[in-house]
Amino acid sequence: MSRPQPPGTPEIAVRGLRKSFGANEVLRGIDLEIGRGEVVCVIGPSGSGKSTLLRCVNLLEEPTAGRVFVGGTELTDPDVDIDAVRRRIGMVFQQFNLFPHLTVTENLTLPQRRVLGRNKTTAAQVAAENLRRVGLAEKADAYPASLSGGQQQRVAIARALAMGPEVMLFDEPTSALDPELVGDVLAVMRKLADEGMTMMVVTHEMTFAREVADRVVFMDGGVIVEDGAPERVIGDPRHERTRHFLSRLLDPAMAEVEEETSDQVGGGGPVPG
């Protein structure tokens, strides 16, 4: 049983976090705090370490060094009951990871019954409630193959919510979706933010980050380069690395022109990323 948090304790706290895969150091000393009810979007180029950071927060990746706290409990304490702490953390991945042979309701009730020990009736009631939250009550008896990608991701969110988490982690939840399906998923996430859910979101959706996040964290090279309000980090970044990343993300056509021009001038050599 977790102990109550002292007033002012961050919901998520990362202290001196490092993560290496062999000789490759992916995270190089990350310090980050996320308050209760806060929405923090983590942005950055591919390979910057943002998804690894997210996976370290619930110990899907074991940190090489540093400490991770959720709700005042240290996950990196060797004596912690990690399964108990993970029950308080919902995780939504790029892929939906639904069981294709189970209905939508069965996908939501199975983890409740196995992990939380809920009976079939209670699990089904909780499943129905959370399907309504994501706007998919009518799909309770459907199988994943009959759903669009956006609907499957909303089922995955409902499945995480059915476990009663205090924190939700999202790892590029819209990156596998066709563009026309992204909006419904982001609308569900926006609703969760409005309800006060603590959320850490790795994303490339700049409009969502600008409008919904309380803070935006820009990572590059395994470190946090900028951390601040969306209007500052996205609207008026202080660091050249942030400006370069955003210019390429927000105006990819211009980025391609710049690459071609640089290649011509530099004799076809690589362009710094």
Side-chain angles (χ1 to χ4, degrees):
M1 190 171 184
S2 63
R3 55 189 182 277
Q5 295 190 79
T9 300
E11 195 68 41
I12 298 173
V14 176
R15 313 286 191 207
L17 187 67
R18 294 181 177 272
K19 176 63 181 178
S20 297
F21 295 96
N24 182 25
E25 190 174 29
V26 178
L27 299 177
R28 304 180 180 184
I30 301 293
D31 292 293
L32 179 66
E33 289 189 356
I34 299 176
R36 179 173 293 175
E38 195 173 21
V39 178
V40 173
C41 285
V42 183
I43 65 173
S46 177
S48 61
K50 54 191 188 295
S51 290
T52 301
L53 170 61
L54 197 76
R55 292 172 66 86
C56 283
V57 168
N58 65 355
L59 257 60
L60 287 177
E61 294 288 355
E62 188 77 28
T64 304
R67 306 170 77 188
V68 177
F69 300 81
V70 174
T73 300
E74 183 180 353
L75 277 70
T76 41
D77 183 338
D79 298 324
V80 74
D81 183 347
I82 187 62
D83 291 331
V85 180
R86 279 189 180 136
R87 292 183 194 123
R88 298 158 55 190
I89 307 171
M91 181 89 180
V92 178
F93 300 90
Q94 296 179 30
Q95 303 300 326
F96 324 124
N97 299 323
L98 301 177
F99 292 111
H101 62 290
L102 300 181
T103 66
V104 165
T105 293
E106 289 167 342
N107 267 281
L108 268 66
T109 56
L110 181 63
Q112 294 183 65
R113 296 175 67 186
R114 288 192 175 177
V115 177
L116 301 180
R118 288 175 179 159
N119 61 43
K120 186 175 182 179
T121 300
T122 300
Q125 291 172 343
V126 173
E129 175 189 345
N130 283 287
L131 286 174
R132 283 193 294 271
R133 289 176 77 182
V134 302
L136 291 174
E138 77 284 359
K139 300 295 184 180
D141 297 323
Y143 286 88
S146 69
L147 305 179
S148 69
Q151 289 172 331
Q152 291 187 59
Q153 189 63 293
R154 286 152 64 195
V155 170
I157 294 173
R159 178 181 56 190
L161 292 173
M163 304 297 286
E166 300 168 15
V167 170
M168 286 287 287
L169 309 178
F170 294 87
D171 187 7
E172 294 278 13
T174 61
S175 65
L177 302 180
D178 292 334
E180 67 269 22
L181 303 177
V182 168
D184 289 341
V185 173
L186 294 181
V188 169
M189 294 171 62
R190 184 189 299 265
K191 182 180 177 182
L192 290 178
D194 291 341
E195 293 173 358
M197 176 65 74
T198 305
M199 297 165 59
M200 184 175 177
V201 185
V202 171
T203 185
H204 61 275
E205 300 289 347
M206 290 300 105
T207 300
F208 177 85
R210 190 191 300 268
E211 296 179 357
V212 180
D214 297 296
R215 283 164 46 218
V216 172
V217 171
F218 172 68
M219 290 184 63
D220 193 17
V223 300
I224 292 176
V225 178
E226 296 204 47
D227 178 353
E231 58 268 24
R232 191 191 65 71
V233 176
I234 298 176
D236 187 23
R238 296 175 180 172
H239 293 268
E240 177 58 34
R241 279 192 286 178
T242 316
R243 290 192 291 270
H244 183 67
F245 168 76
L246 289 170
S247 68
R248 292 168 65 88
L249 186 67
L250 299 174
D251 193 355
M254 183 59 67
E256 291 175 4
V257 170
E258 289 174 355
E259 286 183 1
E260 290 175 3
T261 303
S262 180
D263 285 348
Q264 292 171 1
V265 173
V271 180

